[in-house]
Amino acid sequence: MTHRKLPDFLPDWMSAYKRNLFSGDLIAGLIVTVMLIPQSLAYAMLAGLPPEMGLYASILPIIAYALLGSSMTLATGPVAVVSLMTASALAPLAQQGSVQYVELATQMALISGVMLLVFGLLRLGFLAHLLSHPVISGFISGSAILISIGQLKHLLGIQVSGNNIISTLIDLARHLPQTNLATLLIGSSCLLFLWWSRRYLSTFLEKAGVSSKLAGMLSKLAPMISVIGFTSIVYLFQLDERYGISIAGHVPQGLPTLSLNLPGLDAISALWLPALLVSLVGFVESVSVAQSLALKRKQRIKPNRELIGLGAANIASAFSGGYPVTGGFARSVVNFSAGANTPLAGIISALLMAVVIAFFTKLFYFLPQAVLAATIISAVTALIDWHSLKTAWQYDRADAFSLLTTLLGVVLLGVEAGILLGIALSLAVLVWRSSRPHMAVLGRVPNTEHYRNVQRHEVQTVPGLVALRVDESLFFANAAVVEQKVMGLVNADPDVKNVLLVCSAVNQIDATALEMLDQLEKSLSTRDIQLYFAEIKGPIMDRLKNTPLGKRMKSKIFLSVHAAFLHLKKDQELH
Amino acid sequence: MTHRKLPDFLPDWMSAYKRNLFSGDLIAGLIVTVMLIPQSLAYAMLAGLPPEMGLYASILPIIAYALLGSSMTLATGPVAVVSLMTASALAPLAQQGSVQYVELATQMALISGVMLLVFGLLRLGFLAHLLSHPVISGFISGSAILISIGQLKHLLGIQVSGNNIISTLIDLARHLPQTNLATLLIGSSCLLFLWWSRRYLSTFLEKAGVSSKLAGMLSKLAPMISVIGFTSIVYLFQLDERYGISIAGHVPQGLPTLSLNLPGLDAISALWLPALLVSLVGFVESVSVAQSLALKRKQRIKPNRELIGLGAANIASAFSGGYPVTGGFARSVVNFSAGANTPLAGIISALLMAVVIAFFTKLFYFLPQAVLAATIISAVTALIDWHSLKTAWQYDRADAFSLLTTLLGVVLLGVEAGILLGIALSLAVLVWRSSRPHMAVLGRVPNTEHYRNVQRHEVQTVPGLVALRVDESLFFANAAVVEQKVMGLVNADPDVKNVLLVCSAVNQIDATALEMLDQLEKSLSTRDIQLYFAEIKGPIMDRLKNTPLGKRMKSKIFLSVHAAFLHLKKDQELH
C-alpha cells in the first residue's frame, strides 16, 4: 500500500484512488464538459430559465453526487426531460422570466432533493420499479416529441403561445408566415449538421484515418462545434442586428452565490406533486443508465445510495441558484466511453464549468437561440425509441398498449398527467395479469411420477379427486379467481370428494389469499369435500403452519403430487 | 316442462322460475323489508339527506339490480359506508338541507351508475382486485369508527360542527354540558337493546322454545321493534314537545316522481372522483358479499354482470330521487338465511317499500333521530373487524401495516383519502414483495435427478457453472434485482463460464424482463460467459421463441435442470 491514508468520511473511490486512474478521468471530464456547456444552456432555455441557471446546475450538483452517489460513471446535471417537467410544473404558477419563476425552480430542486434524500434514508429504492420499461420508453419518447414541437418556435424565430399541444400547433401554424428566414436557415443548418454528425461523423473520421475510439469521441463535440461556429457567424456578420436573430444575450459572469431560498407553505403545496414526479422520473432515468454502465464493468449500483446522491445533488443545486438535476443518459454514456474511472471525472468537469462561468460567459452573448433549439431537438430525437414499441408489440400487446398510452398521454395531456397515467397503467397491467393466472387440472403420466395438464397430455386421473395446479402466487388480485375455479370444478362434478391444490408455482400467499383458502376449506368441508395441498414451498410452509388453516390441515399437506395421489387413491379404494 | 314460455329478454332466473321457490322468496322479502325501513331512514340521515331519499333509494334500484345483476341473494339499496362517502363528497360542495345538496346526491348516483355500467361493458370487473382484504377491512373498520363518532351528536341531542375527526371531537367535548338527557336516555336504551338483541336475543328465543332458524330471523327484527317501540313512546308521552327530543318529522308521502337531473360540467368535475371511489368501494363490498353467499349454494357471480347490475341500480336511483346505492352486507346475509332463492325476494321488498312510501310515512313522524343514530351505530360497529387485524399481524406484517394505515387514514384524513391511501398501499406492497424475489443457487442432490438450494442441502455443483432458480415471475418490479443477482454471482467467482437460469417458478416474463434477459445475455457473452435456461413453462416458451433472444438462445434452453447439468458438465470436461 503506497497511497497515503485519507480520512474515513471520504467516499471509497477517493480513499482508494490510484494514480493510474487519473488520465481516464481527466479526458472524460474534458469531453463531458464540452458536451455539458451547450446542453446546460439549452436545457435551461427548455425549462424557461435564464441560461446561467443551466451552468449553475452543472457545478455543485455534480460534486455533491460525486461524493455521495454509488455510480462511478454517471454524469449528473441538467437533463432534457427534467427540464421539460420543471417548465410544465411552473407554467401555471408564475410567468417565465419573472423573479418568482426562477425562485420556484430553485425551490422545486430543494423539495425534490429533500424527498430523494428522505426516500434514500427510508430505503425506498425499490420505488423505481413502479415504472415498467414500456412506460419509461413511452414517457421518454412522448417527452421527446413534446420537447421537439415546443422548440420549433425557436427554429422558426416566431412567438408562439399555447398551454397544450393542440393550441401550440394551431398557434404555430397561424404564425408560420412570420417565420424569420435567417433564423430558420441557421437553425436548420445546425440541425442538419448535428444529425449528420450523429450518424456519419464518426465513420467519416475513421475513413480519414482517425482511430475508432478517438473518432467516436470527436463526434460528440459536434454540438460544441456548432455553438462556436454559429456564434462566430452571428457575431461576424452582425446577424442579430441585421436580421433580428434571437441571441442568448448577456449571461452573468461569476460563480453563483450560495444561498437558500426556503419555500413557503403555498409553494410547497403547489410543488410537492411535480417535485415528487420529477424525483421519481429523474431517479428512474438515472438508475437505469447507471446500472447498465456499471454492469459492463462488474460494478454495482446501490439504489438507496443513488437516492441519497441525487438528493444531495438537487439540494446543492438549490443552494447554488440551479434547478432540478439528475443523471443524464447521453453524457453518462460519453463519460463512460471516454474512459471515466471514478467520479473524479465529474469533479473535473464541475471545476471546468466553474472556470467557464467565472471568466467566459461573454463568449455566449451572440449564441443564437436557434442553435440551442437545434441542440435540444437533436439530443431528444435520439431518445425516441421505436424499437421498444416494435418489440413490445410483437412480444406482449399489454405492454405495447402501456407504451403507446403513456406516449400519447404525455403528448396530449402533458408530462405530469402522462407519467401518472403510466404508473397507473404499469400497476393495472400487473394486477390484470396476475388476476388471471394459468391453472391446470393435473393427471398422472402413466407409469411415472410426473403429473401434467389433462388437456395437453394423455394422463390418468383418480375418480373423485381434482388436482389443480395454479401457476401464480396467490394474493389479493387472484384469490377470488382461484376460489371460483375450484368451486366451478367441484360444482361440475358431483362425485368430487377430494380437491388437491398443487402449489409448485406458488411463490407467495398473502393474507387475502390465506383467508380465501381458509374459507374455501371450510365451505368445501360443509359439503363433505376435503381440501389437500401439495408441493408448498419452504418459506410459505414456515408461515402457514402457525395459522389456524395450517393447523387444521396439518395432515393434509403432501410433499409431492405423487405422494398425494398415492394416498388419496388408497383412500378412494377404502370407500 | 310445464312452466309457460316467457320472453327471452327476461333474466334467466325469471324465465326458469319454479313455483316451489316462491315461499322462500316471499319470507326473505318480508324480513328484508322490515330491516330495510329503519336502515334506509337512518342511512339517509347519515348521508345528510332527508329520510324519504333513503326510502326512494330502496325501490327502483332493487328492481333494476334484480333484472340485471348476477347474484341470487344480494340485497341492494342504501348502505352505511356509501352513505358516509356521499356525505363526505358533498360536504365541501353544498349545505346539508339545501336543494343543491339533494340534487348533487342524485347526480352522484347517476355519475356512479354510468361509470359502473361502462366498466361492466368494458369488462373491467378485475378492477375489484385493486383492493386487498386487509385494505378493505381497514377501510370498513375505519369508516365504522368515523360513522359512530359522527352519530354521537344525535345520541346526545347536541349540535356539533367540524369537518374532520379532531375538530368534531373537540366540538363534541365543548358541547357535552348541553346534552339533552331525554335524548340520551332514549338513544342509549335503544343502543343497549340493539346490542343485547344482536348478542343474546336469538339464544334467548331458542331457550324459550322457538326453533333456531326462526329465532335467528326474529332477532333481525330488533331495529324495527325499537323503531316502533320508541316512536310510540315519544308519541304517547309527547317527549318531543316536553323534552325537545329531535324527531324525523314530516316525511313526504307518495311514490317518487321519475325525473332525471343531468349534472352540469361543474358538477361532473367536482363529483367524478368521489363517484369513482363510491363505485369502486360499493362494487368491492357488493361483490365480496355476493360471492361468499353464492359459493355456499354452488352458484357463481359474474363480476362484469355485477358492474352492470349495480350501474343500473344507481341510474335507477338517480331517476327516482334516490342517492348512491350498492349491495349491503347485513341485509344480504339476512336475505340469504331467510331463504331467498332468487332476486324475486328483492322485487317483493321493493314493492313493499313502495307501499310504505305511498301510504305509511305518517307513522315515522315521531321517530326519534336518536333511535336512527343507535341503529346506525349498532349496524356499523358490527362491521369493525379486529379479527382480520390479529390474523394479518400474525401471518404477515406488511398486510397488517396496510390494514392499520388504511384504518387510520380513513379516521384521520377521511374516507376518500383513506381509500386512495389503501389502494396505493395494496399496490406498493405488491410491487415491494415482487421486487425482492426468493432466489436460490442450485446443486445436485447426490445420485438423484433432484436439484436443491446449496445453502439448505448437501449438494454437488459443477465448477464454472452457476445455476440460479428465481421463485417469482420476471417482470418490471424485479428484473433489475435478478440481473444484479446474476452479475453479483458472476463477479464473485472469476471462473464462472456458464450461467443457468432455472425458470420452474417463473410464471410470466414481461417486456421489461425480456429486455433485461436480452441485455444480460449480451453482456455475459462479451465476457465469454454463456447463459442457459432450464424448465421454461409452455406458455412463456411459446412467446419467447419468436423473440431475438429466443432465437439466439435456441440451443441453450433445456427441459430440465438435470439435462442442463449433464450437458454443461460434459462441456466442462472437454475444456
Side-chain angles (χ1 to χ4, degrees), chain B residues 318-361:
Chain B
F319 256 105
S320 51
Y323 73 104
V325 296
T326 193
F329 182 77
R331 291 200 303 277
S332 299
V333 171
V334 169
N335 193 36
F336 179 90
S337 9
N341 292 308
T342 71
L344 186 64
I347 294 181
I348 290 170
S349 72
L351 295 176
L352 289 170
M353 290 300 286
V355 171
V356 169
I357 292 165
F359 304 108
F360 301 113
T361 58

Side-chain angles (χ1 to χ4, degrees), chain A residues 68-134:
Chain A
L68 291 166
S70 72
S71 165
M72 291 294 108
T73 47
L74 188 72
T76 48
V79 306
V81 172
V82 164
S83 300
L84 172 69
M85 291 179 83
T86 304
S88 136
L90 301 186
L93 303 177
Q95 191 70 35
Q96 275 196 15
S98 68
V99 176
Q100 207 203 344
Y101 189 94
V102 169
E103 275 181 0
L104 284 170
T106 309
Q107 290 171 350
M108 191 166 157
L110 182 65
I111 298 174
S112 162
V114 171
M115 282 180 171
L116 286 164
L117 204 61
V118 170
F119 290 170
L121 296 174
L122 293 176
R123 312 186 67 74
L124 298 181
F126 75 92
L127 282 179
H129 306 311
L130 278 177
L131 293 171
S132 67
H133 279 205

Side-chain angles (χ1 to χ4, degrees), chain A residues 341-355:
Chain A
N341 292 309
T342 71
L344 186 64
I347 293 180
I348 290 169
S349 73
L351 295 177
L352 289 170
M353 289 301 285
V355 171

